């Protein structure tokens, strides 16, 4: 059975790009456009891995990461335009397992996903 990835990303173009690319790589992909919807999706069908933006409507990615971490054992990769060292540290301290800055190379994201899923 395909591993399930939940993408929580409010930019439709990026979410669609991730859905297409990850589906072609054999993953089952669900997409949520805001924090509360992403949390609900994770509760309904727990993912094997979460890709999480920081700047989301209704609830920021740091809070989403904390809530996901409290409820799930799945790895969380933050994928965001926020590239300051403080943001990276905050992401990791709020429960993310990895932090990748936009713009990003899909191949690097894929390698990071596979590395997290091997654990």
């Amino acid at each position: 059975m395909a591993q399930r990835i939940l993408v929580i990303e409010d930019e439709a173009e990026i979410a669609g790009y991730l859905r297409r690319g990850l589906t072609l790589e054999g993953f089952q992909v669900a997409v949520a456009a805001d924090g509360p919807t992403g949390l609900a999706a994770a509760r309904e069908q727990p993912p094997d891995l979460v890709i999480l933006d920081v700047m989301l409507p209704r609830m920021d990615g740091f809070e989403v990461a904390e809530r996901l971490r409290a409820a799930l054992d799945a790895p969380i990769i933050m994928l965001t335009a926020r590239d300051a060292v403080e943001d990276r540290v905050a992401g990791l301290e709020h429960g993310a397992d990895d932090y990748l800055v936009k713009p990003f190379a899909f191949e690097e994201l894929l390698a990071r996903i596979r590395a997290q899923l091997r654990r």
Side-chain angles (χ1 to χ4, degrees):
M1 184 173 196
Q3 289 178 303
R4 186 170 186 277
I5 296 179
L6 173 59
V7 175
I8 307 175
E9 168 64 64
D10 64 320
E11 292 182 47
E13 188 174 324
I14 293 172
Y17 171 73
L18 291 170
R19 180 193 301 264
R20 284 185 304 278
L22 293 170
T23 299
L24 287 171
E25 292 294 327
F27 295 101
Q28 180 185 355
V29 182
V31 175
D34 61 52
T37 305
L39 290 170
R43 276 192 306 273
E44 289 169 20
Q45 198 170 13
D48 296 300
L49 182 136
V50 177
I51 297 173
L52 175 63
D53 190 9
V54 172
M55 296 178 286
L56 294 168
R58 299 178 55 206
M59 181 186 303
D60 74 32
F62 296 134
E63 185 174 347
V64 173
E66 280 187 7
R67 291 184 182 200
L68 286 170
R69 183 57 57 225
L72 291 176
D73 195 30
I76 300 168
I77 298 176
M78 289 200 146
L79 180 64
T80 180
R82 293 179 63 169
D83 64 352
V85 171
E86 309 85 65
D87 292 321
R88 293 179 213 185
V89 169
L92 296 168
E93 288 184 347
H94 283 87
D97 297 285
D98 199 356
Y99 194 105
L100 186 60
V101 176
K102 296 175 188 171
F104 63 97
F106 183 78
E107 296 79 11
E108 180 180 3
L109 175 61
L110 193 56
R112 289 172 183 253
I113 289 168
R114 289 183 174 141
Q116 290 296 328
L117 291 173
R118 278 195 302 268
R119 295 184 177 174

